[in-house]
Amino acid sequence: MTMTRTRWLAAAAAATLFLAGCSGGGGARQAADQPPAAAVSQADIDQAMRTPTELTFWTWVPDIGKEVALFEKKYPAIKVNVVNAGQGEPQYTKLRTALKAGSGAPDVVQIEFQYIPTFTIIDSLLDLRPYGAEALKDKFVDWTWGQVTGKNGEVWAIPQDTGPMGMLYRKDIFDKHGIEPPRTWDEFAAAARKLHAADPGVYLTNLASNQNGAWMGLLWQAGGKPFQMASAQDIDVSVNDEVSKKLGTYWGGLVKEGVIATDPDFTDQWYQALNKGKYATWLTAAWGPVFLASNAKETSGKWRAAPLPQWAAGENKSGNWGGSTSAVIKSTKNPIAAAKFAEFLNTDPESTKMMATEQFLFPPTKALLDDPSFAEQKPEFYGGQTVNQVFAGISDTVDKGFGWPPFLDQTVSDWDETVGKSLADKSDTPAALDQWQQRITTYAESQGFKVAQ
Amino acid sequence: MTSTRTAPRRQAAGHLFIAPFMIVFVAMLVVPLAYAGYLSLFREQLIGGTTFVGLDNYVRALTDERLLGGVLRVAEFFLLQVPLMLLLGLLFALALDSGMLWLSRFIRLGIFVPYAVPSVVAALMWGYLYGPEFGPIAQLAGTLGLPAPDLLGGDLMLGSLANIVTWEFAGYNMIILYAALRAVPAELYEAAAVDGAGAWRTAWSVKLPALRPALLMALIFSVIGSFQLFNEPQLMQRLAPSVIDSAYTPNLYAYSLAFTSQDLNYAAAVSFLLGLVIVAVSYTVQLALTRRRT
């Protein structure tokens, strides 16, 4: 291998990025406990919405220009530049760089629920209360509102889409082996053993060894409270408590027995496996059905949806995996227009409906979840089952109190290298949870947090 | 008298010509390097802000087992992959230069083409070929009734990466060596022919010595490339997350520290140390090879 020209260029680009990333350095910018800013009057809002303004909006939702056009039609003075700065992590990396550099950050940005504390800890999101965001609370499913609000009632973002978790299963495989859709995790384990014994080429499910999101969703369902912030610098980390250990013992056990698979997800291998019937279920989120329908076309008509199995018979609980919000960056020069844009995008009936029916985002608004034209869709891929209705029901069963750490990237990376690795290697998962706890604690303390366990 | 008048003007012209390079060089390399060096003396925390810590980050790096592990891994990679790649490049270059190949232009292009494929694309492509169950290699093994090799497993990963890098860069090195061969004066061949040397003897006694400077350059580039290994393991990480961790290579580690751990200061210190290691190894290689020549 050689030091090629592209490498030189990449190094030079990285160096400038590095330079840009650091020039804004300096003291810590923590979210201090400040009283809410005074509310902005309706007159000010009207004035701002009539003033010619340009907003920059970072998002990875495909074709969102259609929804943006609705906003621009209603407020012709305001022009929104839609920028795709990458999906998920790449976008956050760019955002952090722009924030540090002190220029180049967007006005409005798409942020996943789990990343909100990572950005509020560096004091980069605008509290939307002065712009009337509190009044939107009742439009949204309760748990989503809990995800976007801060300790002192700040509203950090407006929910855009969600991912309450359920179970997609292959009816044909279940029927062939006489398996009923499991309603408890005990039944699920029994079904996993039975199925794999009957057909060694098939696994009841795949618990991806690289998918922290699914793990956190399952932990959420089990009642885990891994990260609680007592204040901006006091964090309670408990990813190896009783609930987590129960989860670790259960899944680690099934993995060791070899009756479920642990392939990395969203890879060629995994797509092919779904198409070829290697996995009889996919424990996924509400965005899963549409995703699967477009990525496993060969299996059309064979899938059905059901709630997740429960830890105790008769219970009805779920967790969330994924989903995102629109947040306003604090450095915006047009906070009113930016806040109103975030609000419009995610509450206007026409805009939200478009997101649910054209981009197939699973809605967080109660109105749309109850809307028959959404809930009663009968996709052929699921044999005509009203899949949206199943997940709309699940959305109500997600716990409100689940919280995220203010350094999510590190937490996820550490999970991959401890818990995820234990799943892939069939080693001791409960012990890996202890390592994970240890790594998070060490990191949090090195960043100046006080950690309670 | 004329010379005293023209000398300063000539000097000014020289400066003018070199100015564009110097400006880019200073702005893109010297300043960022100096700034990174400055940064590496601090520690910034999410809670508590920035403090001056002197050489603490370097002390931490020197005792960091994850960094050391990464350096040893790329050293192993270098010893495993580079000789093979240079040997292949050399064989291709000699074969082309022998003039005994049909369609030599076509073959030359064919061997060189992988270098034109961006390494990201190459890694994705090979990742698919390596797939443990549905990848073509595994399927072929299955058809022959053999167990599929776990090319993405912990034991074979380094070899799998070496294969990708060799595939990408053997053609590039072939071009460097081939160009050097074309520059060998014809008189040397004539002299060899007069002395009764055959094709093999000519290759060994005339061509190889003439190639030494080009080989040295290819080797130094390979040292730098190996120790900076990044793209290929980063892409394979998605396919084998439990094999390739965030400290698999020192470059990957520096990247994770900066962008996952938000620890730019420590990442800067790690990058500086990696740079020192590369300088040291390159210099050692050069010293060892040039000394042998004299």
Side-chain angles (χ1 to χ4, degrees):
Chain A
M1 190 168 61
T2 64
M3 179 75 175
T4 68
R5 203 168 70 89
T6 44
R7 271 169 210 272
W8 270 111
L9 288 175
T16 38
L17 189 76
F18 202 59
L19 188 66
C22 306
S23 56
R29 292 157 296 157
Q30 326 160 6
D33 295 345
Q34 294 157 342
V40 175
S41 73
Q42 189 59 43
D44 288 344
I45 293 176
D46 292 343
Q47 171 69 27
M49 302 309 278
R50 281 195 305 264
T51 313
T53 307
E54 278 204 28
L55 296 176
T56 304
F57 176 36
W58 283 10
T59 174
W60 59 78
V61 174
D63 294 329
I64 202 160
K66 291 181 184 172
E67 284 88 342
V68 171
L70 295 174
F71 174 80
E72 288 178 328
K73 200 172 145 202
K74 189 170 175 195
Y75 302 102
I78 298 172
K79 183 173 177 342
V80 181
N81 302 312
V82 178
V83 176
N84 184 338
Q87 173 160 5
E89 267 179 53
Q91 186 206 266
Y92 302 131
T93 303
K94 280 179 201 154
L95 180 59
R96 254 192 298 254
T97 308
L99 288 168
K100 278 215 158 194
S103 73
D107 300 284
V108 183
V109 64
Q110 179 176 3
I111 290 190
E112 291 157 283
F113 290 107
Q114 70 270 27
Y115 271 94
I116 290 175
T118 299
F119 284 97
T120 55
I121 192 80
I122 53 171
D123 200 20
S124 54
L125 303 187
L126 186 72
D127 180 6
L128 300 176
R129 278 179 296 178
Y131 313 96
E134 270 173 317
L136 306 174
K137 182 174 189 257
D138 292 336
K139 290 182 190 284
F140 292 95
V141 179
D142 292 351
W143 71 265
T144 65
W145 200 252
Q147 291 275 302
V148 298
T149 47
K151 207 148 194 63
N152 307 309
E154 302 95 336
V155 180
W156 295 124
I158 311 291
Q160 177 174 299
D161 70 294
T162 66
M165 281 182 82
M167 176 175 73
L168 301 179
Y169 65 94
R170 284 282 296 268
K171 186 170 188 299
D172 59 327
I173 297 179
F174 276 28
D175 286 351
K176 186 176 157 199
H177 295 281
I179 294 170
E180 288 289 311
R183 276 164 311 184
T184 65
W185 287 114
D186 283 340
E187 288 177 21
F188 186 87
R193 292 180 189 114
K194 180 176 168 183
L195 179 62
H196 191 65
D199 187 345
V202 179
Y203 298 85
L204 182 60
T205 199
N206 179 58
L207 186 70
S209 56
N210 63 335
Q211 192 46 266
N212 174 261
W215 181 270
M216 295 303 267
L218 292 170
L219 182 59
W220 193 331
Q221 184 214 16
K225 296 269 192 294
F227 308 103
Q228 300 290 314
M229 302 290 293
S231 75
Q233 52 265 355
D234 289 289
I235 182 171
D236 182 339
V237 178
S238 44
V239 297
N240 63 348
D241 62 358
E242 210 178 312
V243 181
S244 283
K245 281 279 168 79
K246 178 173 76 177
L247 208 63
T249 308
Y250 178 83
W251 287 108
L254 290 179
V255 169
K256 266 191 186 167
E257 284 180 52
V259 295
I260 64 164
T262 58
D263 305 326
D265 58 5
F266 304 103
T267 59
D268 285 335
Q269 167 82 2
W270 180 80
Y271 288 118
Q272 285 170 345
L274 278 174
N275 271 300
K276 298 195 173 173
K278 182 182 172 186
Y279 320 130
T281 72
W282 182 25
L283 305 176
T284 186
W287 43 259
V290 174
F291 182 88
L292 185 69
S294 52
N295 285 288
K297 293 202 175 77
E298 290 169 35
T299 57
S300 180
K302 296 175 179 169
W303 292 87
R304 298 290 182 275
L308 283 184
Q310 301 292 317
W311 285 103
E315 266 183 356
N316 192 11
K317 290 180 181 170
S318 188
N320 180 70
W321 170 16
S324 59
T325 70
S326 303
V328 176
I329 296 297
K330 209 168 192 174
S331 60
T332 178
K333 292 190 177 69
N334 304 293
I336 297 177
K340 287 293 159 187
F341 172 66
E343 176 184 328
F344 178 93
L345 199 62
N346 302 309
T347 57
D348 176 75
E350 210 180 333
S351 172
T352 49
K353 183 137 189 192
M354 216 181 248
M355 281 199 224
T357 55
E358 296 203 13
Q359 280 108 2
F360 302 109
L361 299 182
F362 197 78
T365 56
K366 291 175 187 165
L368 210 53
L369 288 170
D370 293 338
D371 185 340
S373 71
F374 170 77
E376 287 168 16
Q377 285 175 17
K378 293 176 180 152
E380 217 171 285
F381 191 87
Y382 297 93
Q385 190 189 7
T386 51
V387 177
N388 284 342
Q389 209 155 39
V390 174
F391 280 95
I394 294 171
S395 186
D396 280 337
T397 67
V398 175
D399 184 84
K400 278 176 267 189
F402 195 86
W404 300 96
F407 35 78
L408 190 78
D409 298 287
Q410 183 68 34
T411 313
V412 170
S413 169
D414 285 339
W415 184 88
D416 287 343
E417 292 174 13
T418 55
V419 185
K421 190 170 165 55
S422 81
L423 295 173
D425 297 350
K426 300 190 180 183
S427 58
D428 191 342
T429 303
L433 285 165
D434 293 334
Q435 291 167 12
W436 190 28
Q437 170 84 16
Q438 187 54 48
R439 283 227 204 173
I440 300 172
T441 305
T442 307
Y443 177 78
E445 284 173 350
S446 80
Q447 287 292 339
F449 290 91
K450 270 197 235 139
V451 183
Q453 304 189 21
Chain B
M1 288 308 273
T2 43
S3 67
T4 49
R5 259 208 329 240
T6 51
R9 202 186 299 157
R10 199 183 298 149
Q11 222 176 354
H15 285 148
L16 205 65
F17 278 119
I18 207 169
F21 167 77
M22 288 309 287
I23 290 169
V24 173
F25 180 74
V26 169
M28 296 300 189
L29 201 75
V30 178
V31 173
L33 265 180
Y35 192 68
Y38 167 77
L39 271 185
S40 69
L41 304 177
F42 291 85
R43 184 176 66 200
E44 186 183 358
Q45 294 175 299
L46 281 170
I47 304 291
T50 308
T51 42
F52 180 80
V53 293
L55 294 176
D56 273 15
N57 285 324
Y58 290 93
V59 174
R60 179 179 161 199
L62 287 174
T63 53
D64 189 337
E65 281 174 24
R66 304 193 73 199
L67 176 61
L68 186 68
V71 171
L72 290 178
R73 187 173 289 115
V74 288
E76 187 187 343
F77 178 86
F78 169 73
L79 293 175
L80 180 80
Q81 185 261 334
V82 170
L84 182 72
M85 175 183 66
L86 291 183
L87 194 66
L88 279 175
L90 182 64
L91 288 178
F92 292 146
L94 287 173
L96 284 173
D97 190 59
S98 71
M100 292 189 288
L101 287 181
W102 290 330
L103 297 172
S104 75
R105 282 189 172 189
F106 186 73
I107 292 172
R108 192 169 69 200
L109 189 68
I111 296 172
F112 185 70
V113 152
Y115 177 69
V117 176
S119 63
V120 171
V121 177
L124 288 174
M125 186 191 83
W126 279 101
Y128 169 73
L129 295 177
Y130 290 157
E133 263 164 273
F134 304 109
I137 298 174
Q139 282 187 338
L140 184 69
T143 318
L144 298 174
L146 300 167
D150 189 7
L151 295 166
L152 297 173
D155 298 333
L156 294 180
M157 180 55 86
L158 211 55
S160 298
L161 288 171
N163 174 54
I164 301 175
V165 175
T166 304
W167 179 83
E168 283 177 290
F169 290 101
Y172 172 82
N173 287 299
M174 169 197 78
I175 293 288
I176 293 182
L177 298 173
Y178 180 64
L181 278 177
R182 303 305 288 176
V184 175
E187 297 88 54
L188 284 181
Y189 293 135
E190 286 167 14
V194 168
D195 286 347
W200 286 107
R201 182 72 201 189
T202 312
W204 184 255
S205 300
V206 178
K207 295 185 179 183
L208 270 185
L211 279 178
R212 192 172 262 165
L215 266 174
L216 178 65
M217 186 178 78
L219 189 60
I220 299 275
F221 281 173
S222 302
V223 171
I224 297 169
S226 296
F227 280 83
Q228 290 196 337
L229 198 61
F230 179 78
N231 281 349
E232 293 82 3
Q234 205 218 7
L235 282 153
M236 288 292 151
Q237 198 172 34
R238 282 171 41 85
L239 304 179
S242 64
V243 176
I244 297 187
D245 65 11
S246 60
Y248 194 76
T249 72
N251 233 358
L252 200 56
Y253 189 40
Y255 177 86
S256 320
L257 285 171
F259 295 110
T260 303
S261 309
Q262 310 305 322
D263 199 345
L264 283 170
N265 309 101
Y266 186 46
V270 165
S271 307
F272 254 82
L273 284 177
L274 177 62
L276 284 180
V277 169
I278 292 175
V279 169
V281 176
S282 306
Y283 190 66
T284 312
V285 166
Q286 186 162 17
L287 213 60
L289 286 185
T290 43
R291 185 175 296 163
R292 201 191 298 163
R293 188 161 51 155
T294 50

